[in-house]
Amino acid sequence: MGSRASTLLREEEIEEIKKETGFSHSQITRLYSRFTSLDKGENGTLSREDFQRIPELAINPLGDRIINAFFPEGEDQVNFRGFMRTLAHFRPIEDNEKNKDPIASEPLNSRSNKLLFAFRLYDLDRDDKISRDELLQVLRMMVGVNISDEQLGSIADRTIQEADQNGDNSISFNEFIKVGNFLIFCIFGNMNYYLT
Amino acid sequence: CSELLPLAIWLSELYWSIVDWATHRIERGAKDNNHLLYKPYSNGDNRDLDHASEFEMSDIFYFCRQGVESIMDDEVTKRFSAEELESWNLLTRSNYNFQHISLRLTVLWGLGVVIRYGFLLPLRVTLAFTGVGLLVVLTSIIGFLPNGRMKNFLSEQVHLMCYRICVRALTAIITYHDSENKPKNGGICVANHTSPIDVIILASDGCYAMVGQIHGGLMGVIQKSMVKACPHIWFERSEVKDRHLVAKRLSDHVEDKTKLPILIFPEGTCINNTSVMMFKKGSFEIGSTVYPVAIKYDPRFGDAFWNSSQFGMVNYLLRMMSSWAIVCSVWYLPPMTREEGEDAVQFANRVKAAIARQGGLVDLLWDGGLKRGKVKDTFKEEQQKLYSKMLVGTQEDRSRS
């Protein structure tokens, strides 16, 4: 079963993915067998239902938003390249990459790309601003029915007040970076366990 | 057959030393290529939300990380497909991460194929047909006898004999532990479920009343003739949905002390023998003594897990009969009864924990029904409640100060 999977993934593809995402050869083959085990329809792509079949993801309050991040605009299927490109955001930053050539294009797992990923979880309409409504939507997903609209509204207002600097009552990416930065390494850095 | 025992032991020692050698070759080859074969065991996450705090934009990172981690690997979906082995057992069907390593290994594997399919398989299929045929014929004959001690005695002997022939047909090498705890009349025997072979393994060492749905075809013929010799509990498809009817028939059977102990698999579906999933509470509500049994298969000799979405029953049995052998251990655990103030679910979890501990399996709370169905929303609501508590707690403190 598994040996069939690794023969379907050609060496050239593995090299391309390696270059694009920075994952190692063994990490790519391991994630490929994970991809195929999720792909129940066996057509080489994953649909939203395939992700929702993972119970631990289905009970995650932000599950739908995370799943959404894998699918490009307006599409319902994601292939292995797209899958790896999204997962690449969570690859920990290695020491030998920090001193890389600054002219080369930014790796997918750079600090700002990680923050951009998180920003897009809030910013559903992709207008590069997190409006009060968008913030409320995410808050509502995380708390369920346990907090009243008014309380939630005041939490949202306070958050925007603290982060907003140019007074447009919404949070831009630069303002977001200032609030979200310091936790990135504590949290995203621990992905290592699953990727060795 | 006892003369064959030392031969069998010697053969399995030889086999295992070959596998050991093969593993070292593979590991050496992998090290040369910097491949990593084994998934490291990760020890839980840091609970960033344990302390009360105010909402921050970065709170989503916690859920985000949990979500992506579960996409990369989760505890549940991997229980519904065959276990990945650390070393190859010379069966292609278990070959997930190992590619062609050396000519010698391939030759050994080829030799293995010839032996397994050319010699072992026909032998075993013949034995299987003999065993099943005898079971049907003899139980039908016994059915004509008047009810009484003679009939019960003969029926037990016939069942045991035929199941033992079937065990030979699968070349199952079974080690029974703690036989003093074997289930007695009027009790319910519960075990973890990996494949239909579990039934044969347990029934060749003791007599049980089976519970199940009536099938058509060959299965149906076997079921109908078995019930002539001694009372098993077969349900029509329509009756299965009626939980009260099921419970009543089970408790009626249990109250009659002349009837054999009932054999039930509370997980309700086959799991891949690395974990024990949620036990359905029905059998634990009846209130009789429960005899837990743990069954653990040794995956080095052949994978016994039945992935019913992948193979049908016949295909599965053929695969079993063309493996090297089925090696498993059965532990009869001391009987348990429901304690004061314990409800059926807690009792079920207690029994499940005992079975998991004995068999060296992971004890999961997840429902085996997740193989086919969706997870309940209540779990998501639990998480939302926890997070809200963390936020709201802060609000209350702030309004007080």
Side-chain angles (χ1 to χ4, degrees), chain B residues 39-75:
Chain B
K39 241 188 330 197
Y41 173 71
S42 88
N43 226 329
D45 51 342
N46 40 350
R47 295 282 309 165
D48 300 296
L49 299 186
D50 260 352
H51 51 284
S53 54
E54 302 193 351
F55 169 71
E56 293 181 17
M57 301 282 309
S58 48
D59 280 352
I60 58 163
F61 290 161
Y62 173 70
F63 290 115
C64 196
R65 189 190 75 163
Q66 296 250 298
V68 175
E69 281 181 355
S70 66
I71 290 178
M72 292 200 203
D73 190 19
D74 75 296
E75 275 302 314

Side-chain angles (χ1 to χ4, degrees), chain A residues 17-35:
Chain A
I17 297 178
K18 205 170 172 181
K19 249 184 251 147
E20 189 180 1
T21 60
F23 282 118
S24 74
H25 194 283
S26 61
Q27 288 171 341
I28 295 175
T29 41
R30 170 153 285 288
L31 286 169
Y32 188 70
S33 72
R34 174 66 173 164
F35 181 85

Side-chain angles (χ1 to χ4, degrees), chain B residues 194-299:
Chain B
T194 306
S195 99
I197 296 180
D198 293 341
V199 175
I200 301 179
I201 288 177
L202 288 180
S204 61
D205 191 46
C207 295
Y208 299 93
M210 314 275 166
V211 179
Q213 207 182 301
I214 295 200
H215 291 94
L218 178 62
M219 237 4 257
V221 170
I222 301 177
Q223 286 176 318
K224 288 199 188 75
S225 59
M226 275 171 69
V227 81
K228 284 184 198 144
C230 78
H232 297 283
I233 307 177
W234 303 127
F235 291 101
E236 300 288 337
R237 204 189 178 87
S238 51
E239 293 174 322
V240 172
K241 298 281 162 64
D242 186 349
R243 289 190 40 209
H244 291 295
L245 178 65
V246 170
K248 178 136 198 338
R249 278 185 70 178
L250 290 177
S251 40
D252 285 345
H253 183 109
V254 159
E255 265 154 31
D256 184 350
K257 296 297 180 219
T258 63
K259 293 194 179 157
L260 299 165
I262 304 180
L263 178 58
I264 288 189
F265 297 101
E267 282 166 311
T269 186
C270 294
I271 310 293
N272 75 347
N273 209 231
T274 55
S275 67
V276 184
M277 298 191 103
M278 188 179 95
F279 275 5
K280 305 220 180 319
K281 61 179 177 162
S283 11
F284 299 91
E285 284 171 334
I286 296 178
S288 70
T289 322
V290 168
Y291 295 88
V293 175
I295 307 176
K296 178 79 177 113
Y297 290 88
D298 191 336

